[in-house]
Amino acid sequence: MEFNQTELAPAHPSATVVIVRPVASGLEVLLVQRSQQLKHMAGMWVFPGGRVEPVDEAEANSEYEAALRAAIRETQEETSLQVSPERLFQISHWTTPAGAKKRYATWFFVAMVDDDQEVTVDGGEIAKHRWVAPAQALAEQRRGELTLLPPTYITLLELDAHGDCDTLLEHGRTWDPIIYAPRVTQLDDALHFLYEGDAGFAHSDPAAVGLRHRCIMIGERLDYVREC
């Protein structure tokens, strides 16, 4: 992963839906794999979603409402799943760091779907899908079997902390979405994605003394530290 800090591409509005379903062991989340033929994020396992399009903005009264419409539309296009706006709640907002070739300002929503809905991926942009427990996906990532980016990884950690759908949805009623606008810098062989609250955030200094709120990437291995 490379970042050219002298370039600042525009961050396009987009939306992602973290789809969960209840199972006996707690909850499972839907991950989809981007096609290996794509130029951007090829082969990555992500949550369904995509850019906010003019059709989403046409009748929207705010950026949030346009993102909500995009979330519903993209989920249906990529997975065939139908989600209603009443079942969506926002958990975070992510902006791609400066220096990336493509940047997005992405609303992350959570939605629980009924058991009787079946997933059908589009076979173009999305090649595969799987339902998986967050703990299992995280374990596979640690073993190098699953390629994730920090937003997906950190969201899976959050899901795993809630245990089951009832707990997650109860929390969702009062959820205060976290805003992630990382500043990325390198220290030795690691990329440090510094988030607000980290001692090094203001000056993009990963060695700064103080509280930590960051994701550390070494190769494809990720580690999230939050002390604030």
Side-chain angles (χ1 to χ4, degrees):
M1 182 175 297
E2 296 182 358
F3 294 89
N4 184 343
Q5 300 292 338
T6 63
E7 297 182 0
L8 185 59
H12 300 287
S14 63
T16 284
V17 185
V18 183
I19 300 173
V20 299
R21 68 179 184 183
V23 293
S25 58
L27 67 82
E28 290 182 332
V29 61
L30 179 66
L31 292 179
V32 295
Q33 187 180 36
R34 290 172 58 82
S35 170
Q36 297 285 358
Q37 307 305 314
L38 297 174
K39 294 182 179 180
H40 180 61
M41 294 171 54
M44 289 285 181
W45 285 91
V46 298
F47 305 117
R51 288 176 59 157
V52 175
E53 301 290 354
V55 66
D56 306 311
E57 299 171 326
E59 298 182 6
N61 296 316
S62 65
E63 290 185 351
Y64 175 87
E65 186 177 331
L68 197 65
R69 291 171 179 267
I72 295 168
R73 176 184 54 77
E74 287 284 345
T75 299
Q76 196 280 326
E77 291 176 358
E78 292 187 351
T79 69
S80 75
L81 294 176
Q82 302 284 345
V83 294
S84 62
E86 296 78 15
R87 303 191 77 173
L88 287 165
F89 63 88
Q90 186 187 356
I91 59 169
S92 58
H93 186 280
W94 290 82
T95 300
T96 310
K101 292 182 179 180
K102 291 188 177 182
R103 300 181 67 236
Y104 300 93
T106 307
W107 281 261
F108 271 57
F109 299 96
V110 165
M112 187 176 74
V113 296
D114 299 325
D115 292 339
D116 59 354
Q117 289 201 62
E118 293 187 6
V119 178
T120 303
V121 297
D122 59 22
E125 181 180 345
I126 302 302
K128 300 177 182 179
H129 80 278
R130 62 182 298 201
W131 289 99
V132 61
Q136 180 179 342
L138 292 166
E140 291 178 12
Q141 194 280 332
R142 287 191 292 270
R143 295 195 297 266
E145 300 168 1
L146 196 63
T147 303
L148 304 173
L149 290 175
T152 311
Y153 176 75
I154 292 172
T155 302
L156 286 169
L157 287 172
E158 187 73 50
L159 295 179
D160 189 43
H162 285 85
D164 58 54
C165 284
D166 288 342
T167 304
L168 177 66
L169 297 179
E170 180 66 27
H171 187 194
R173 296 173 184 171
T174 57
W175 203 302
D176 187 16
I178 299 177
I179 308 301
Y180 293 91
R183 297 179 179 177
V184 62
T185 185
Q186 188 157 353
L187 180 64
D188 299 326
D189 60 347
L191 281 177
H192 291 251
F193 296 81
L194 308 178
Y195 308 121
E196 189 170 357
D198 191 284
F201 179 79
H203 301 289
S204 299
D205 179 10
V209 176
L211 295 177
R212 295 289 185 252
H213 186 203
R214 64 182 64 183
C215 191
I216 303 167
M217 174 183 283
I218 302 176
E220 294 184 352
R221 183 170 63 84
L222 297 170
D223 185 29
Y224 180 54
V225 182
R226 186 178 183 187
E227 301 172 339
C228 54

